[in-house]
Amino acid sequence: MMIKTGDPRTLGVPSPEARLHFDTELQELGGGPRRRLLMVDDEPAFELSFYCGTCPLLFRRLETASEKLSLESMQERLAGALDDPDDSGVIDAFGALLPEGEYLPLLLSVEPRLIMPGKEGDYFSDEQVTSWGVDQFWGLPQYPHTPYYRTFETAVDTETHLYEFVVPMVPPTWNERERVAGAGWRRLQSRIHELARFRVRSPETAHP
């Protein structure tokens, strides 16, 4: 549920200095793009689908994804509810992690549902297989190599559906359990690692 929309603004630092940015891995010998990557501290953290409109959604955690993007200065503030996206300098603090660009701050209320790959509710082994089929090479559904959260979804029209995911930068098992329990599990889960949210439409398009 949308609580409040902030004004569009320029945030971030020059891309080479940003802790979080996107990159493309090229084929060897000067070929075309091989993988689209989410980089953290210049290390590949996630492989992502290309936004060509003809590719199924993919977010796959890689072996080098070992860094959180939590900010100690913001942890106590985010243990409680925000009344405004600009509260306590949250946007500027996390904006400094991003590559420079124009961003639209949104304050949302979500009820995340933890999903384990291959288990009940897994988008990749359920809705994606229905829309796209299994991977042509492996003969299996895509596997994201990470638990993730499902939040909002809705029909857009008779042929298009919108799904929203919250993807943690590291597995939820890496969370500090004492902090989570102290702040309230349900309230804190809606704010953990929200830098990696994905909105997708299937089967026609897949946009990060």
Side-chain angles (χ1 to χ4, degrees):
M1 180 180 69
M2 182 80 68
I3 297 176
K4 191 171 183 179
T5 303
D7 295 325
R9 68 195 66 185
T10 299
L11 296 170
V13 298
S15 186
E17 302 173 19
R19 291 194 62 195
L20 183 77
H21 66 275
F22 296 99
D23 203 352
T24 300
E25 182 181 80
L26 300 178
Q27 301 280 0
E28 295 182 1
L29 302 177
R34 177 173 176 248
R35 295 191 303 176
R36 182 169 173 254
L37 300 170
L38 179 67
M39 309 288 289
V40 176
D41 295 334
D42 293 324
E43 291 286 348
F46 279 81
E47 180 183 356
L48 307 174
S49 49
F50 288 94
Y51 41 87
C52 58
T54 59
C55 302
L57 171 72
L58 174 67
F59 53 83
R60 178 182 293 128
R61 182 171 176 251
L62 304 175
E63 293 180 355
T64 46
S66 60
E67 292 296 326
K68 300 179 182 180
L69 289 171
S70 300
L71 298 178
E72 290 290 337
S73 61
M74 291 288 109
Q75 286 190 4
E76 293 302 324
R77 184 65 192 90
L78 292 178
L82 297 177
D83 296 321
D84 187 276
D86 279 325
D87 275 1
S88 304
V90 171
I91 292 176
D92 288 337
F94 283 97
L97 303 174
L98 305 174
E100 187 174 18
E102 185 169 303
Y103 295 86
L104 177 65
L106 302 176
L107 183 60
L108 306 174
S109 174
V110 299
E111 295 186 8
R113 179 164 54 103
L114 181 62
I115 300 296
M116 303 301 292
K119 303 294 185 180
E120 181 179 358
D122 179 28
Y123 169 82
F124 295 98
S125 56
D126 188 351
E127 290 97 336
Q128 189 173 83
V129 170
T130 300
S131 296
W132 298 89
V134 298
D135 183 273
Q136 294 184 2
F137 179 79
W138 296 109
L140 296 169
Q142 297 287 355
Y143 191 78
H145 289 272
T146 184
Y148 61 94
Y149 302 91
R150 295 188 68 156
T151 56
F152 177 75
E153 63 179 79
T154 186
V156 177
D157 54 39
T158 57
E159 298 182 350
T160 309
H161 208 89
L162 173 70
Y163 300 96
E164 182 180 75
F165 307 98
V166 177
V167 185
M169 301 303 295
V170 296
T173 52
W174 290 20
N175 291 339
E176 297 177 21
R177 303 297 296 188
E178 295 80 6
R179 179 180 293 276
V180 172
W185 178 259
R186 187 177 210 51
R187 184 175 58 189
L188 189 58
Q189 289 288 32
S190 68
R191 295 175 174 84
I192 294 176
H193 307 307
E194 288 189 293
L195 290 174
R197 272 187 39 245
F198 290 78
R199 286 180 181 268
V200 299
R201 287 190 289 177
S202 70
E204 288 82 4
T205 62
H207 296 300

